[in-house]
Amino acid sequence: MDLSFTPEQETFREEVRAFIQEAMPPHIREKAEKSGQFTMDEIMEWHRILYKKGWVAPHWPKEYGGAGFDAAQRFIFTEEMALAGAPGLSPFGLSMVGPLIMHFGTPAQKERFLPKILSGEEVWCQGYSEPNAGSDLASLKCKAEDKGDHFVVNGQKTWTTYGQYADWIFCLVRTDSSGKKQEGISFLLIDMKTPGVKVVPMLTIGGTPAFCDTYFEDVEVPKENLLGPQNGGWTLAKALLGHERTMIGGTGPLLRSLNNLKRIAAECPDGQGQTLADDPSWRRRAAALEMRYRAHEMVVLKQIAEQQAGRQPGPEASIMKIVGTTLGQQIDELTMDTMGLNSLNWFNDPPAVPPLQEWVGSNFCYNRATTIFGGSNEIQRNIMAKMLLGLPTLKFQAS
Amino acid sequence: MDLSFTPEQETFREEVRAFIQEAMPPHIREKAEKSGQFTMDEIMEWHRILYKKGWVAPHWPKEYGGAGFDAAQRFIFTEEMALAGAPGLSPFGLSMVGPLIMHFGTPAQKERFLPKILSGEEVWCQGYSEPNAGSDLASLKCKAEDKGDHFVVNGQKTWTTYGQYADWIFCLVRTDSSGKKQEGISFLLIDMKTPGVKVVPMLTIGGTPAFCDTYFEDVEVPKENLLGPQNGGWTLAKALLGHERTMIGGTGPLLRSLNNLKRIAAECPDGQGQTLADDPSWRRRAAALEMRYRAHEMVVLKQIAEQQAGRQPGPEASIMKIVGTTLGQQIDELTMDTMGLNSLNWFNDPPAVPPLQEWVGSNFCYNRATTIFGGSNEIQRNIMAKMLLGLPTLKFQAS
Amino acid sequence: MDLQYTEEQLMLRNTVADFVSRESPISRARKLHEDETGWEAAVWKQMGELGWLAFPFAESLGGFGGQFVDAAIIVEELGKALVPEPFVASIVTAGQALALAGNEQQQQNWLAPVLAGEATLAFAASEADNRYHIAERAGTTLDANGNGYILTGEKVWVDNGQAADTLLVTASGPDGLTLVAVEADRDGVERRTVKTIDGRRAAIIRFNGTPISADHIVGNPGDDTVALVDRVRDLGAAAACAEAVGVSQVAFDMTVEYLKTRVQFDVPIGAFQALQHRAVDMFIENELLRAATLAAALRVDEDDVSERHMAVSAAKKQLAVGGKFVAYQAIQLHGGIGITEEHDIGLYLKRMQALGVLFGDEAWHEARYADEPAFQAR
Amino acid sequence: MDLQYTEEQLMLRNTVADFVSRESPISRARKLHEDETGWEAAVWKQMGELGWLAFPFAESLGGFGGQFVDAAIIVEELGKALVPEPFVASIVTAGQALALAGNEQQQQNWLAPVLAGEATLAFAASEADNRYHIAERAGTTLDANGNGYILTGEKVWVDNGQAADTLLVTASGPDGLTLVAVEADRDGVERRTVKTIDGRRAAIIRFNGTPISADHIVGNPGDDTVALVDRVRDLGAAAACAEAVGVSQVAFDMTVEYLKTRVQFDVPIGAFQALQHRAVDMFIENELLRAATLAAALRVDEDDVSERHMAVSAAKKQLAVGGKFVAYQAIQLHGGIGITEEHDIGLYLKRMQALGVLFGDEAWHEARYADEPAFQAR
């Protein structure tokens, strides 16, 4: 056993680092170093740069145009991107619907959708949650009536992240209300330019329009945009959940947060002539978080090792979402504390705080969402209790 | 409003302090200062000293031989006893069955039992839990058959704290199995010298025989020992629970633990030439616990103020058990950490550590029980969610 | 020991609560997020007319001889609806500084109009370099200049600095720490309004050699002023806790209500045990915050500085531990809707976050408590 | 990067697990609580014969060239049934000290019989005054005396000190920190057996001017020995974590089993959501402990001292945070029965508690991590 990377892997790391150094445009580099906050235009610009290099989809097989990296390469790639502060790409196409299309799509669907996800020509968003179907996703009501060669969709999706920038939305819709609620759900791919689709961005508590309400009024969706079997959408939803769980995601942003935390501490006076980075008790708080990061990272590395060996990741993969999001929020909290009164800052122009501190408050607020979305941590625990620990289920009734 | 005590109350405090100074026998004082750990003989010796002074039952009304202290006096009394490290008296007679007898007992029962609880002639214990009735107390099976003028009791009680020292036991027993399980329970007072009662002490994880199994085999209990109505014992059980919740208990032992923690820290080398009490980061850990103690103490004081004003304590009384026991365990944990390798000590004779550290490990282990007994903290939260917050109940079935 | 609110205090609480629900529901706070001042002079005037602003002052100052507890009652009720008028800056920190250390003329000039609701104050002590050590360190300087002085330096994130008529400014002067009253419209005072996380406004204020006359110095420079600023910091911290009690209480109440009404899996989600227990833990932290804050509010008036420090720090610690727990869990239990700006619960999170850093954060108060000689001795 | 256990390692794990379940179920550990030595020479001999004791040593020492990970596998499996034989003291701490710094003669004399299961060792570095700073501070002195030395001082809570044939003792000598091998039956060695919280035994050992000859000095006194003891402390800490993984795993498994079988309110209590979520949190902490410990086990063999420190401290911190959480909650979820000595779960709590203080506790490791230059740089 060996925790160090092979010489080949270290070479690959150098290659990634050199590429970033060379390919990252100066205006993106400046933001990466200063605020770590990017516009959608900048994110897509970076997307296209990676696409040109063939690295936009590290986890896609080569046959679909992915980089075909192995698990260790993906880890290295993610880590280097995080250390460089590169923009995080939108996951909805690359990490969510893309892999689903590979697995469940017809050849025509693969040909139609995958290349444009890769190239960035088509940006995707996710239509899962509805006002009355959050944690209880299967109770969704957005309806798709079967009209022979097409569906007619009516209803509303909410908390659609960055829907205003998307060309396509993948949706869970109800195609049958007669049986168990999980059984009448289908998975539709909907062109957002179709008449009847209306996107209304809304502000989040982070002060940015990261969410939308998405309304469907008599929206016609051709049958060829049905992914997987009709009324079989729940299987796809569960597969996506499983896939999300095992995404390497998490360590990259966490590592970047930890680095930013330390950089910020070095620029925050402690009020007694030094900076917080010099304060032993601040250092211990930060160390405690980094030590937990190390444990979390090792869980990820172990899982990569399993994948490298061609095995399915073990059940410990399930804990990544809970541990990663909780730790991320704790890092945010300490970063806010570290900034002292500067943590009061909120979108001041010209800036009222150093660039690295500018977005911290907004991110702190918005990141409260991380323990809610993608299956709240409470729902994750429900699933783990049942699936992993085999604990009995309480049969309950509405009272 | 005023947080300070009145001159009369301060005079009372002086009186209590002077009394302790004068009345505490040297061998008890020595233990109070050194280990804080007492034998049952010593506890009963102190009981009798307080009895002679008329202070053994600070919370009993004068008509029953109590001290008749008001709430503030009781707080002061408790605090002074804690600061002096005086032995804690057995609560089963004085704080549990005594008040129940006052409230539910017949004149004959009051006359028969109360004076001997006060004098310490009769020591009590509690027979509630059974092997299969812990959190779900109402499912208890220990049976009392009605034989006209007496009951015949058969069954087992467990986790009977200090049953081996007790003369009497108050028991919840099943007198009817036909209806809802809460409805067929009665509250019996049983002389432990009755033929058929067998007490088997067992060791706890603290290494002391603090618990017993108590077996009843055809034990005849005269009807006059039924407290409250037949099949109405659940009401008494609930009243006792409510009473336990509102006992001032908690702050006394916590205050003593905090003081011991600091005294121990001052005798523990930090390995770098000072003691832990000099270590800023140790001090902050201890400070964090003491700050929480202050908040907890203020909840208690507010409740005393309500009682002083003749009102029922507010719902915040319910939180005392959860907060107090959790905080107590945290103080234990920090005390163990503070002791370093000395925390490995376990009943060495001659002692292997300073006297103040001798019982810490045993208490640390045993005190894990505090969040379990008297209604586990999980059960407390269930009750509070329903009774205090009015949250709905999930109707469930065995699956 | 007397922990009963008096009839007057109960009446005060009711009056404030009535006023708030009538005149300043949460929707008003939200509307004022767009306002450059962040609050309204007309409402402030009303508060003055109702007599609240005078309540916590001695009768000699035109007040009702109230204790700090009276101010705490008002602040808690204002906190429930996030009322943005500058009560703490004007009445609790700068106002009390004038009441405690100002001479009659100063009180007449700068405090009396405040009590009438006709002016407001700000306490300007924080700088980019002094963090929470505002009584111990001032980079702003007060230099002798002829018969008077000139003031040079920058204060940051000054609560109500953007609107105050008079600023009470800490500076290092010839005799040590000095508190200076500066009319905001003076030459050499440069104010920049900045937005804060809670939708309010504050100011970054530069003094570019602002001329100061001797009659603008409040109290005795040196140790007395250090003690005064230390005390004002405690008053501010205790007020932050009092406001946090209101914020926490409403966040908790909204959450319990949501748990009872939000249905998922065919039942109100408040029927799920894990969420029930979380709600109970919120209740507990809220009650502990309420209790610790009452202790701080009572001790903050006391002469025993050590007891004052410890009670205030214990409350501020509980704000950071318990108040924030309530706010975070309120968002978590609201789920997706709690992340949207349109729902009110997020406003309570943000205000709690701001209260956490005002007048010393968790780490600062924990360290102060741990270093109190009385902590060791207790 | 290779995180796959080799076939040999998987086989080793199985062999140890089989042996433990056959020869040393938990009931044996319990029986040995009453034994004055706390373990049995016959079982130790068996372990030697099975080759485990040699496994983590280089082939030149008669070992199998194993990594520390091999030792970790054995320790983890022994931890599952709380097997009390002195594997860590003999093989990991004192044994590795001899392997790393001893000369051939010393290894022949004191290590070879250990690998054969015919003798045991103890590493005696802790004193009443040095807490966990065993590489930085030794009150025990080694004074020159004619051709040799005399050793004076007291070591406390020495793991296997009550039974070891040879003690490796730290002392302040003429050239700085010195590691001395002392046969336990020498004149001037006074051992007192003491009971420990986990039902085991340790020793308080006094050296009353014990004569030491030069050939009993292991390695080079001074900086080399400081580095050696620092490394041994990390080996011990990593071994404590490995054992904690076994302890935590069993405590978790027992608890899940109990949740499935204990019926209250007519259902298995594991059906209650609050307990389910608690169990999931136990699972999480257990997995994090396992992961952090594997990282420590791999890094502890590395030459990069800073990385070694950080990986080991991160694991020991997770033992204190997560391992203890599992142990505490295991008791809590067992309820009343978990407080009785007769139930096994309490034994796991106590062993976890002991592992928490061996080779540096949470605070010590957190402080060390925070002070590593590489922490700032990372």
Side-chain angles (χ1 to χ4, degrees):
Chain A
M1 273 183 139
D2 191 355
L3 200 45
S4 48
F5 290 99
T6 62
E8 291 72 28
Q9 287 162 342
E10 290 297 350
T11 306
F12 174 73
R13 185 187 290 278
E14 289 309 317
E15 192 189 343
V16 175
R17 199 172 289 177
F19 165 75
I20 296 172
Q21 178 67 23
E22 182 207 307
M24 191 182 275
H27 65 283
I28 291 188
R29 177 181 314 283
E30 197 192 328
K31 281 198 163 181
E33 276 162 16
K34 286 191 175 158
S35 71
Q37 204 69 25
F38 302 95
T39 64
M40 185 57 80
D41 280 350
E42 289 158 343
I43 291 169
M44 292 313 297
E45 183 183 351
W46 184 239
H47 180 118
R48 287 187 297 269
I49 291 168
L50 290 173
Y51 172 66
K52 225 173 112 190
K53 174 75 178 174
W55 283 358
V56 77
H59 51 299
W60 286 24
K62 284 205 159 159
E63 54 173 312
Y64 293 116
F69 291 164
D70 64 25
Q73 286 176 308
R74 266 147 54 198
F75 179 82
I76 291 167
F77 184 79
T78 305
E79 192 168 69
E80 287 301 318
M81 287 291 161
L83 289 170
L89 305 187
S90 167
F92 300 108
L94 290 167
S95 297
M96 299 173 77
V97 77
L100 272 190
I101 291 172
M102 285 177 222
H103 195 268
F104 293 97
T106 63
Q109 286 172 330
K110 291 179 191 178
E111 199 175 325
R112 163 67 189 83
F113 292 111
L114 297 181
K116 293 186 174 175
I117 289 174
L118 281 177
S119 69
E121 260 172 281
E122 289 177 353
V123 175
W124 284 78
C125 67
Q126 180 186 38
Y128 268 32
S129 295
E130 300 177 8
N132 289 310
S135 285
D136 183 12
L137 186 58
S139 69
L140 59 90
K141 296 238 164 2
C142 183
K143 203 171 82 179
E145 274 178 285
D146 187 341
K147 299 286 189 184
D149 65 340
H150 68 278
F151 296 98
V152 173
V153 180
N154 278 287
Q156 180 192 352
K157 293 291 174 180
T158 192
W159 308 317
T160 321
T161 307
Y162 291 123
Q164 68 270 51
Y165 302 112
D167 305 294
W168 284 78
I169 184 169
F170 57 91
C171 277
L172 291 178
V173 293
R174 181 152 305 285
T175 38
D176 186 350
S177 309
S178 61
K180 277 181 61 181
K181 58 188 181 181
Q182 286 83 356
E183 284 163 10
I185 292 171
S186 298
F187 196 103
L188 280 191
L189 313 177
I190 304 179
D191 185 341
M192 295 188 81
K193 288 183 297 296
T194 320
V197 179
K198 195 173 95 182
V199 176
V200 183
M202 55 177 158
L203 286 180
T204 68
I205 57 174
T208 59
F211 294 166
C212 299
D213 279 315
T214 309
Y215 299 92
F216 300 90
E217 199 184 329
D218 294 331
V219 175
E220 294 190 15
V221 179
K223 273 262 168 103
E224 64 245 39
N225 289 2
L226 172 70
L227 189 65
Q230 192 160 335
N231 296 328
W234 193 244
T235 311
L236 278 73
K238 280 195 297 183
L240 186 53
L241 188 74
H243 184 74
E244 270 185 290
R245 280 202 292 113
T246 61
M247 280 198 306
I248 293 178
T251 60
L254 288 174
L255 187 54
R256 196 186 318 178
S257 298
L258 276 171
N259 279 334
N260 278 347
L261 169 62
K262 292 185 203 171
R263 289 167 67 199
I264 287 172
E267 62 183 34
C268 289
D270 72 350
Q272 300 177 299
Q274 295 194 294
T275 72
L276 276 201
D278 303 312
D279 172 9
S281 121
W282 180 88
R283 281 212 307 277
R284 285 179 64 165
R285 286 173 78 191
L289 296 180
E290 187 171 291
M291 288 191 268
R292 193 160 178 92
Y293 171 78
R294 279 176 174 260
H296 176 57
E297 183 189 65
M298 191 66 185
V299 171
V300 175
L301 285 168
K302 282 174 67 184
Q303 183 197 328
I304 289 171
E306 290 294 304
Q307 292 177 342
Q308 287 285 66
R311 285 192 289 271
Q312 279 302 303
E316 68 273 18
S318 312
I319 74 177
M320 288 174 42
K321 204 243 159 181
I322 295 175
V323 176
T325 54
T326 309
L327 179 56
Q329 290 180 346
Q330 287 167 343
I331 297 171
D332 288 342
E333 291 160 22
L334 181 53
T335 310
M336 290 291 275
D337 280 0
T338 301
M339 283 162 49
L341 290 181
N342 276 0
S343 70
L344 294 171
N345 177 63
W346 195 253
F347 294 103
N348 282 296
D349 186 20
V353 298
L356 211 52
Q357 300 180 28
E358 233 188 300
W359 280 85
V360 171
S362 168
N363 286 335
F364 160 81
C365 289
Y366 178 69
N367 286 344
R368 302 314 305 183
T370 60
T371 47
I372 295 171
F373 287 175
S376 75
N377 286 10
E378 288 81 8
I379 292 290
Q380 301 285 347
R381 286 189 173 87
N382 285 351
I383 295 170
M384 288 172 70
K386 188 175 169 183
M387 310 300 273
L388 256 178
L389 310 187
L391 291 173
T393 305
L394 204 59
K395 300 248 189 291
F396 61 85
Q397 325 161 308
S399 66
Chain B
M1 273 182 139
D2 191 358
L3 200 45
S4 49
F5 290 100
T6 63
E8 291 72 27
Q9 287 163 342
E10 290 297 350
T11 305
F12 174 72
R13 184 187 290 279
E14 288 308 317
E15 192 189 343
V16 174
R17 198 172 288 178
F19 165 74
I20 296 172
Q21 179 66 26
E22 184 206 306
M24 192 182 276
H27 65 282
I28 290 188
R29 177 180 314 281
E30 197 190 330
K31 282 199 164 183
E33 277 161 17
K34 286 193 175 158
S35 71
Q37 206 68 26
F38 302 95
T39 64
M40 185 57 80
D41 281 350
E42 289 158 344
I43 291 168
M44 292 313 298
E45 183 183 351
W46 184 239
H47 181 119
R48 287 186 297 270
I49 290 167
L50 289 173
Y51 172 66
K52 223 173 115 189
K53 174 75 177 174
W55 284 358
V56 78
H59 51 300
W60 287 23
K62 285 205 157 160
E63 55 173 306
Y64 293 116
F69 290 163
D70 64 25
Q73 286 176 309
R74 265 146 55 196
F75 180 82
I76 291 166
F77 184 80
T78 305
E79 192 170 68
E80 287 302 317
M81 287 291 162
L83 289 170
L89 304 188
S90 169
F92 302 107
L94 289 168
S95 298
M96 297 172 79
V97 77
L100 271 190
I101 291 172
M102 285 177 220
H103 193 268
F104 294 96
T106 62
Q109 287 172 330
K110 293 179 190 179
E111 198 175 328
R112 164 66 190 81
F113 293 110
L114 295 180
K116 291 187 173 175
I117 290 174
L118 281 176
S119 69
E121 258 174 282
E122 289 176 352
V123 175
W124 285 77
C125 66
Q126 179 187 39
Y128 269 32
S129 295
E130 299 178 8
N132 290 309
S135 285
D136 183 12
L137 186 58
S139 69
L140 59 89
K141 297 238 165 2
C142 184
K143 202 171 83 179
E145 274 177 286
D146 187 340
K147 298 288 190 184
D149 65 339
H150 67 279
F151 296 98
V152 173
V153 179
N154 278 286
Q156 181 192 351
K157 294 290 175 183
T158 192
W159 309 316
T160 321
T161 307
Y162 291 124
Q164 68 270 52
Y165 302 112
D167 304 294
W168 283 78
I169 185 169
F170 57 92
C171 278
L172 291 178
V173 292
R174 181 152 305 284
T175 38
D176 187 349
S177 309
S178 61
K180 277 182 59 180
K181 59 189 180 181
Q182 287 82 356
E183 285 165 7
I185 292 170
S186 298
F187 196 104
L188 280 190
L189 312 177
I190 305 179
D191 185 341
M192 295 187 81
K193 291 183 295 295
T194 322
V197 179
K198 194 173 95 184
V199 175
V200 182
M202 54 176 157
L203 286 181
T204 68
I205 57 175
T208 58
F211 294 166
C212 298
D213 279 315
T214 309
Y215 299 92
F216 300 91
E217 199 183 328
D218 294 330
V219 176
E220 294 191 14
V221 180
K223 274 262 169 102
E224 66 244 39
N225 289 2
L226 172 70
L227 189 64
Q230 191 158 335
N231 296 328
W234 194 244
T235 311
L236 279 74
K238 281 197 295 182
L240 187 50
L241 187 73
H243 183 75
E244 270 186 291
R245 280 202 292 116
T246 61
M247 279 197 306
I248 293 179
T251 60
L254 287 175
L255 187 55
R256 196 186 319 178
S257 295
L258 275 172
N259 279 334
N260 277 347
L261 169 62
K262 292 186 205 172
R263 289 167 66 198
I264 287 171
E267 64 183 32
C268 288
D270 71 351
Q272 300 178 298
Q274 295 194 295
T275 71
L276 277 201
D278 304 312
D279 173 9
S281 120
W282 180 89
R283 280 213 308 275
R284 285 179 63 164
R285 289 174 77 191
L289 296 180
E290 187 172 291
M291 287 191 269
R292 194 163 177 90
Y293 170 78
R294 278 176 176 258
H296 175 58
E297 182 188 67
M298 190 66 186
V299 170
V300 175
L301 285 168
K302 282 174 68 184
Q303 184 196 326
I304 288 170
E306 290 295 304
Q307 291 178 344
Q308 288 284 67
R311 285 191 290 271
Q312 277 302 303
E316 67 273 17
S318 310
I319 75 178
M320 287 174 44
K321 203 243 160 182
I322 295 175
V323 177
T325 54
T326 309
L327 179 56
Q329 290 181 346
Q330 288 167 342
I331 297 170
D332 288 343
E333 291 161 22
L334 181 54
T335 310
M336 290 291 275
D337 280 1
T338 302
M339 284 162 50
L341 290 181
N342 276 0
S343 70
L344 294 171
N345 176 63
W346 195 255
F347 294 101
N348 282 296
D349 186 21
V353 297
L356 210 51
Q357 300 180 30
E358 231 186 304
W359 280 85
V360 171
S362 168
N363 286 335
F364 160 81
C365 290
Y366 178 70
N367 286 345
R368 300 316 303 184
T370 59
T371 48
I372 296 171
F373 287 175
S376 74
N377 286 12
E378 288 82 8
I379 292 290
Q380 301 285 346
R381 286 188 173 88
N382 285 350
I383 295 171
M384 287 171 72
K386 188 174 167 182
M387 311 300 273
L388 256 179
L389 310 187
L391 290 173
T393 305
L394 203 59
K395 300 248 187 292
F396 62 84
Q397 329 159 305
S399 65
Chain C
M1 197 180 58
D2 173 14
L3 297 182
Q4 303 298 311
Y5 287 104
T6 62
E7 283 305 315
E8 289 76 16
Q9 287 170 332
L10 293 174
M11 206 182 304
L12 175 65
R13 186 185 290 280
N14 284 338
T15 321
V16 180
D18 283 353
F19 177 84
V20 167
S21 70
R22 210 173 51 242
E23 303 288 335
S24 187
I26 181 81
S27 55
R28 175 173 171 266
R30 191 183 275 283
K31 222 179 62 195
L32 287 167
H33 288 185
E34 304 308 317
D35 186 273
E36 265 310 288
T37 301
W39 55 271
E40 293 172 301
V43 172
W44 185 248
K45 177 79 183 143
Q46 263 184 292
M47 289 180 177
E49 282 162 5
L50 288 164
W52 304 349
L53 306 183
F55 219 99
F57 293 95
E59 287 171 29
S60 62
L61 294 170
F64 298 89
Q67 305 171 300
F68 177 83
V69 167
D70 302 324
I73 290 171
I74 297 171
V75 171
E76 179 184 334
E77 292 303 322
L78 298 180
K80 286 182 181 169
L82 307 177
V83 178
E85 271 62 32
F87 186 89
V88 172
S90 305
I91 305 302
V92 176
T93 55
Q96 290 296 332
L98 281 172
L100 290 164
N103 60 38
E104 212 170 309
Q105 188 59 48
Q106 292 171 333
Q107 291 170 343
Q108 192 55 44
N109 287 351
W110 301 313
L111 189 57
V114 170
L115 303 204
E118 287 161 1
T120 64
L121 303 172
F123 191 73
S126 293
E127 301 173 356
D129 278 352
N130 71 357
R131 204 166 168 92
Y132 308 116
H133 299 270
I134 56 174
E136 297 77 15
R137 197 181 181 94
T140 299
T141 54
L142 185 73
D143 297 306
N145 184 29
N147 277 344
Y149 304 87
I150 56 169
L151 183 67
T152 310
E154 188 181 73
K155 299 293 179 180
V156 300
W157 302 107
V158 180
D159 183 18
N160 197 41
Q162 79 284 8
D165 299 280
T166 307
L167 312 164
L168 288 193
V169 184
T170 54
S172 296
D175 301 312
L177 191 71
T178 308
L179 190 63
V180 184
V182 184
E183 291 88 351
D185 55 5
R186 251 172 202 258
D187 282 351
V189 177
E190 192 182 308
R191 300 200 273 189
R192 176 182 163 205
T193 300
V194 282
K195 288 186 284 182
T196 55
I197 190 170
D198 47 7
R200 302 195 182 188
R201 296 295 184 280
I204 296 172
I205 308 180
R206 274 208 68 77
F207 301 98
N208 298 313
T210 311
I212 302 290
S213 58
D215 58 2
H216 279 54
I217 290 177
V218 178
N220 305 317
D223 289 349
D224 282 0
T225 297
V226 170
L228 176 68
V229 175
D230 180 56
R231 181 158 175 186
V232 169
R233 177 170 51 197
D234 277 337
L235 289 165
C241 293
E243 188 172 342
V245 170
V247 170
S248 162
Q249 183 67 53
V250 173
F252 170 72
D253 290 343
M254 285 172 68
T255 304
V256 170
E257 184 57 26
Y258 188 76
L259 290 174
K260 289 179 184 171
T261 49
R262 169 76 172 172
V263 172
Q264 292 279 273
F265 305 104
D266 304 323
V267 294
I269 59 174
F272 291 110
Q273 194 187 35
L275 305 195
Q276 290 184 338
H277 286 202
R278 197 89 53 84
V280 169
D281 287 338
M282 291 169 74
F283 177 87
I284 287 173
E285 295 305 329
N286 183 54
E287 285 300 324
L288 289 174
L289 176 58
R290 181 179 294 284
T293 298
L294 181 59
L298 291 169
R299 294 277 191 222
V300 83
D301 279 336
E302 280 188 17
D303 290 331
D304 182 334
V305 173
S306 187
E307 257 310 310
R308 187 186 81 204
H309 283 173
M310 293 172 87
V312 169
S313 288
K316 201 81 202 312
K317 167 85 179 175
Q318 176 57 17
L319 186 166
V321 171
K324 286 188 183 174
F325 175 83
V326 171
Y328 294 165
Q329 292 304 325
I331 299 288
Q332 183 71 20
L333 296 186
H334 274 81
I337 193 82
I339 304 294
T340 61
E341 174 66 15
E342 71 190 19
H343 196 284
D344 290 337
I345 193 68
L347 305 181
Y348 288 85
L349 166 73
K350 293 177 188 182
R351 185 61 187 158
M352 185 64 82
Q353 186 65 31
L355 292 169
V357 293
L358 296 176
F359 308 104
D361 69 355
E362 175 180 10
W364 190 87
H365 281 283
E366 192 180 86
R368 181 171 80 163
Y369 191 105
D371 286 342
E372 280 296 329
F375 164 59
Q376 291 288 5
R378 204 189 190 217
Chain D
M1 197 180 59
D2 172 16
L3 297 181
Q4 303 298 312
Y5 287 103
T6 62
E7 283 304 313
E8 289 77 17
Q9 287 170 332
L10 293 173
M11 205 183 304
L12 174 64
R13 185 185 292 280
N14 283 338
T15 322
V16 180
D18 283 354
F19 177 85
V20 167
S21 70
R22 210 174 50 242
E23 302 289 333
S24 187
I26 182 79
S27 55
R28 176 173 169 263
R30 189 184 278 283
K31 220 178 64 194
L32 286 167
H33 289 184
E34 305 307 318
D35 185 271
E36 264 309 289
T37 301
W39 57 271
E40 292 172 301
V43 171
W44 184 248
K45 178 78 183 147
Q46 265 183 290
M47 290 180 178
E49 283 161 5
L50 288 164
W52 306 348
L53 306 183
F55 219 98
F57 292 96
E59 287 172 30
S60 62
L61 294 170
F64 297 89
Q67 304 170 300
F68 177 82
V69 168
D70 302 325
I73 289 170
I74 298 171
V75 171
E76 179 185 334
E77 293 302 322
L78 298 179
K80 286 182 182 169
L82 307 176
V83 179
E85 272 62 32
F87 186 89
V88 173
S90 304
I91 305 302
V92 176
T93 56
Q96 290 296 333
L98 281 172
L100 289 164
N103 60 37
E104 212 171 308
Q105 189 58 50
Q106 292 172 332
Q107 292 171 343
Q108 192 55 45
N109 287 351
W110 300 314
L111 188 56
V114 171
L115 304 203
E118 286 162 0
T120 64
L121 303 172
F123 190 74
S126 294
E127 301 173 355
D129 277 352
N130 70 356
R131 205 165 169 90
Y132 307 116
H133 299 269
I134 56 174
E136 296 79 14
R137 198 182 180 93
T140 299
T141 55
L142 184 74
D143 296 306
N145 184 28
N147 279 342
Y149 303 87
I150 57 170
L151 183 68
T152 310
E154 188 180 73
K155 300 292 179 180
V156 300
W157 302 107
V158 181
D159 182 20
N160 197 41
Q162 80 284 5
D165 300 280
T166 307
L167 310 165
L168 288 194
V169 183
T170 55
S172 295
D175 302 312
L177 191 71
T178 309
L179 190 63
V180 184
V182 184
E183 291 87 351
D185 55 5
R186 252 170 203 261
D187 283 352
V189 178
E190 194 182 305
R191 300 201 273 189
R192 176 183 164 205
T193 300
V194 282
K195 288 185 283 184
T196 54
I197 190 171
D198 48 8
R200 302 194 182 188
R201 297 294 186 281
I204 295 171
I205 308 178
R206 273 208 69 77
F207 302 97
N208 298 314
T210 312
I212 302 291
S213 57
D215 59 1
H216 278 54
I217 290 177
V218 178
N220 306 316
D223 289 349
D224 283 1
T225 297
V226 170
L228 176 68
V229 174
D230 179 56
R231 181 160 175 183
V232 169
R233 175 170 53 195
D234 277 337
L235 290 164
C241 293
E243 187 172 342
V245 170
V247 170
S248 163
Q249 184 66 52
V250 173
F252 170 72
D253 290 343
M254 285 172 69
T255 303
V256 170
E257 184 57 28
Y258 188 75
L259 290 174
K260 289 178 184 172
T261 49
R262 170 73 171 174
V263 172
Q264 292 281 274
F265 305 104
D266 303 324
V267 294
I269 59 173
F272 291 110
Q273 194 187 36
L275 306 195
Q276 290 185 338
H277 286 200
R278 197 89 53 86
V280 170
D281 287 338
M282 292 169 74
F283 176 86
I284 287 173
E285 295 304 328
N286 184 54
E287 286 300 323
L288 289 174
L289 176 59
R290 181 179 293 284
T293 298
L294 181 58
L298 292 170
R299 294 277 190 222
V300 82
D301 278 336
E302 281 187 17
D303 291 331
D304 182 334
V305 173
S306 187
E307 257 309 312
R308 187 187 80 206
H309 283 173
M310 292 171 87
V312 168
S313 288
K316 201 82 203 307
K317 167 85 179 174
Q318 177 56 16
L319 186 164
V321 171
K324 285 188 183 172
F325 175 82
V326 171
Y328 294 166
Q329 292 305 325
I331 299 289
Q332 182 71 20
L333 297 186
H334 274 81
I337 193 82
I339 304 294
T340 60
E341 174 67 14
E342 71 190 20
H343 197 284
D344 290 337
I345 193 67
L347 305 181
Y348 288 85
L349 167 73
K350 293 177 187 180
R351 185 60 187 159
M352 186 65 81
Q353 186 64 32
L355 293 169
V357 294
L358 297 176
F359 307 103
D361 68 356
E362 176 180 10
W364 192 87
H365 280 283
E366 193 179 84
R368 182 172 80 162
Y369 191 104
D371 287 341
E372 281 295 330
F375 163 60
Q376 291 289 5
R378 204 187 190 222

